[in-house]
Amino acid sequence: MKILQFLTLICVMFSYDALSCSCRLKSVEESFGDAKAVLLIEVQSLKVVTITDKSRKDEYLKVLEATFNTIETFKESAIPVESLRTYSNCGLDLYPTQRYLVYVPKESSVENYVSHCHGSFKYRPQLEFAESKLKLVREYAKKE
């Protein structure tokens, strides 16, 4: 019986929720302020690349790098964003042919890193929640 309780405890400790992303979600205003670019995109292709992590000297990190088509631009970067990168449990789950609203941060240890923590999300037009979030972004972009 004690073994069963121990195994249950281990399963709970290592459940998906225990390993999920934990960050403070930002408002549209905060996300815009921290972003060098805000885009509605459709992912075209993905590949795994190894990069040097700027925050950890000489350490290498495998990231998922996406090329994309821009559907709508809400904030344009001075230097064009040609690819996006993601990794870890806070990063976006990127898939080809899928659409995302991305806030590309001005500062990050990984260039063009997109994550839920920055406000980025998978855009599903059939969901009222996604449409209302996109509407807020469009309204804020008009004010800028």
Side-chain angles (χ1 to χ4, degrees):
M1 187 65 160
K2 290 199 184 249
I3 292 175
L4 182 58
Q5 289 174 337
F6 176 75
L7 289 174
T8 302
L9 177 62
I10 294 296
C11 288
V12 169
M13 286 176 50
F14 292 103
S15 70
Y16 176 77
D17 291 336
L19 297 174
S20 66
C21 176
S22 63
C23 57
R24 184 184 71 80
L25 295 180
K26 299 178 180 183
S27 67
V28 170
E29 294 82 5
E30 290 174 305
S31 294
F32 256 88
D34 294 343
K36 65 181 178 183
V38 181
L39 310 165
L40 180 62
I41 60 129
E42 183 175 296
V43 172
Q44 296 302 301
S45 66
L46 297 168
K47 65 180 176 181
V48 175
V49 296
T50 303
I51 62 168
T52 303
D53 188 347
K54 295 177 191 175
S55 66
R56 301 179 195 139
K57 291 183 180 179
D58 298 326
E59 280 195 38
Y60 294 98
L61 182 65
K62 285 191 177 193
V63 298
L64 192 59
E65 187 172 81
T67 59
F68 60 91
N69 285 335
T70 302
I71 297 166
E72 195 170 345
T73 301
F74 304 104
K75 183 176 184 179
E76 195 166 356
S77 177
I79 300 169
V81 177
E82 295 179 0
S83 65
L84 300 172
R85 293 176 174 167
T86 190
Y87 70 100
S88 80
N89 56 357
C90 290
L92 288 181
D93 293 330
L94 299 174
Y95 296 97
T97 74
Q98 301 298 301
R99 293 182 176 191
Y100 301 84
L101 179 88
V102 293
Y103 292 92
V104 184
K106 292 175 187 172
E107 296 180 21
S108 178
S109 62
V110 174
E111 185 179 10
N112 298 336
Y113 174 64
V114 291
S115 78
H116 297 287
C117 297
H118 297 119
S120 299
F121 65 94
K122 182 175 182 179
Y123 173 66
R124 295 181 181 109
Q126 69 274 23
L127 299 180
E128 189 176 318
F129 176 74
E131 280 298 311
S132 65
K133 282 177 76 173
L134 185 58
K135 182 180 177 185
L136 286 173
V137 171
R138 284 185 175 128
E139 289 171 358
Y140 188 79
K142 286 179 185 177
K143 294 178 195 177
E144 284 263 306

